[in-house]
Amino acid sequence: MKLFAIETSCDETAAAVVEDGVRVLSNVIATSLDLHVETGGVVPEVAAREHLRQISPVVDKALFEAGCVWTDIDAIAVTTSPGLTASLLVGVNTAQTLAYIHQKPLIEVNHIHGHIYANFLEREVPPEFPVLVLTVSGGHNELVLMRGHHQFEKIGETLDDAAGEAFDKVARLLGLGYPGGPIISKMAEEGDFMAFKFPRPMLDEANEFNFSFSGLKSAVRREVERLDSATDQTIKDLAASFQQAVVEVLVEKLLFAAQAYEVKEVHLAGGVSANRLLRQLAEQRLPDDLVLRWPVQTIFCTDNAAMIGAAGYFGIRSD
Ligand code: KG4
Ligand code: ZN
């Protein structure tokens, strides 16, 4: 079964063709990222205008690169929430129009479920339930337990900023640009993660599976304000110390939850799952009998439409 999928919830205009929920026949992404670098974050009106400009060529390219025509497509999947309203509307209107013209069923997909299903793409061996997913991105930060397809039980979430958002805000504080995650992680490679002692928030039992990163971000701000001037090396040390604190919290929570729910697999999903330290520390800390996965391609970590095709497919599959 071939699904045509569309994703426009933030600043990526994306379309893909996915076969049987796992094989990616095409995965086209046009981003308006460059336009958001100056503002240090996504400006909703700018993102929506860019989606309007990009959506037609992206749709055409996705179909072409998959070697398909519309009669080959069985259904259309589209992200309907959560996300920036005006941006989502561009994708939804396009999907509705295509579904009407080509007489295809329309499947509504939740963006976070899309990130979760990114881990099912291009796998030789399909994941085995129960699965614990840490889905961590610019807009969300959740621990989700799955006992079967499309059974999403949220067992924890952030009470304020998501980890990706904290990366973005700290990068802005340090004058490093947007998006912060990849830049901070690059700077951190040459920094000393022990140079600054930042808090590891919410590691007490009362808050077992919830997160909070806004205090950590404020701790970095206070440190920056305390320093009269910061050398390149100080910035690298700040980046490394901040990243270490975020990742240690994410991995600790993952470990608590994996033990509490006796899962077979642990999955990392969302933009922050591209983070090298997160992968390394998860590999080190989680027991060997747990299968640990992250998306097979980095492009499946951040926003893309292939993941929406996967989530759409497994949502309608009857078995
Ligand atoms: O999933 P995504 O593309 O969009 C949302 O749904 O939010 O995730 C983008 C987020 C940004 O906050 C970005 O800074 C973060 O993912 N990110 C990373 C890395 N790559 C992207 N964070 C840490 N390390 C990375 N390598
Ligand atoms: Zn996302």
Side-chain angles (χ1 to χ4, degrees):
M1 182 182 203
K2 290 193 182 89
L3 255 67
F4 190 89
I6 296 178
E7 151 66 41
T8 61
S9 66
C10 191
D11 57 341
E12 271 90 19
T13 316
V17 178
V18 179
E19 189 168 27
D20 297 336
V22 290
R23 272 181 304 284
V24 180
L25 305 186
S26 66
N27 192 21
V28 177
I29 304 172
T31 177
S32 56
L33 191 70
D34 290 354
L35 301 174
H36 306 294
V37 170
E38 219 168 281
T39 42
V42 176
V43 178
E45 292 79 4
V46 176
R49 204 169 52 226
E50 281 307 297
H51 283 309
L52 278 173
R53 229 167 50 81
Q54 300 279 8
I55 192 75
S56 280
V58 165
V59 163
D60 290 347
K61 197 166 175 218
L63 198 65
F64 176 78
E65 287 189 358
C68 290
V69 291
W70 283 107
T71 46
D72 300 325
I73 302 294
D74 297 289
I76 296 175
V78 62
T79 308
T80 52
S81 71
L84 304 171
T85 307
S87 291
L88 284 164
L89 270 175
V90 177
V92 171
N93 285 341
T94 306
Q96 283 173 335
T97 309
L98 290 170
Y100 178 75
I101 294 172
H102 301 292
Q103 291 294 291
K104 309 287 177 193
L106 188 64
I107 305 165
E108 297 184 5
V109 177
N110 174 292
H111 180 76
I112 300 171
H113 299 170
H115 276 300
I116 290 171
Y117 270 97
N119 270 307
F120 287 70
L121 291 169
E122 297 292 349
R123 294 273 184 211
E124 294 296 326
V125 183
E128 229 187 300
F129 297 109
V131 172
L132 175 71
V133 192
L134 172 71
T135 172
V136 62
S137 198
H140 53 269
N141 196 133
E142 296 178 359
L143 273 169
V144 176
L145 177 67
M146 288 176 81
R147 297 188 197 273
H149 279 299
H150 274 260
Q151 294 175 26
F152 306 105
E153 191 184 326
K154 185 159 67 177
I155 59 167
E157 64 187 328
T158 182
L159 304 181
D160 41 58
D161 292 353
E165 188 180 356
F167 269 98
D168 295 338
K169 287 177 175 170
V170 166
R172 198 169 349 159
L173 261 171
L174 300 178
L176 296 176
Y178 176 85
I183 310 173
I184 287 198
S185 113
K186 184 100 195 64
M187 299 291 282
E189 282 171 19
E190 291 170 20
D192 173 5
F193 70 85
M194 309 240 273
F196 295 92
K197 299 264 168 295
F198 291 130
R200 270 61 173 159
M202 312 281 277
L203 282 185
D204 55 303
E205 276 182 22
N207 290 301
E208 46 181 358
F209 304 134
N210 287 331
F211 304 85
S212 162
F213 291 110
S214 98
L216 175 56
K217 171 200 67 193
S218 304
V220 179
R221 174 181 294 120
R222 281 195 297 277
E223 201 58 58
V224 171
E225 284 166 359
R226 214 177 51 81
L227 297 163
D228 276 344
S229 62
T231 62
D232 267 6
Q233 190 54 48
T234 314
I235 301 280
K236 288 173 183 167
D237 292 346
L238 282 164
S241 304
F242 161 76
Q243 176 180 247
Q244 189 74 25
V246 173
V247 168
E248 276 183 18
V249 172
L250 293 175
V251 173
E252 266 324 283
K253 300 270 177 180
L254 202 49
L255 187 60
F256 292 160
Q259 284 163 345
Y261 288 93
E262 297 180 341
V263 293
K264 287 205 171 117
E265 302 201 5
V266 167
H267 294 182
L268 309 177
V272 182
S273 68
N275 187 276
R276 274 240 303 270
L277 182 69
L278 174 62
R279 294 173 175 188
Q280 269 170 13
L281 226 59
E283 231 163 13
Q284 279 168 23
R285 297 294 320 275
L286 291 167
D288 292 341
D289 58 340
L290 270 181
V291 176
L292 173 65
R293 303 185 197 246
W294 50 76
V296 296
Q297 293 178 23
T298 308
I299 204 174
F300 299 154
C301 295
T302 43
D303 291 350
N304 67 90
M307 68 185 194
I308 303 302
Y313 172 81
F314 287 104
I316 56 166
R317 218 179 62 154
S318 52
D319 57 320

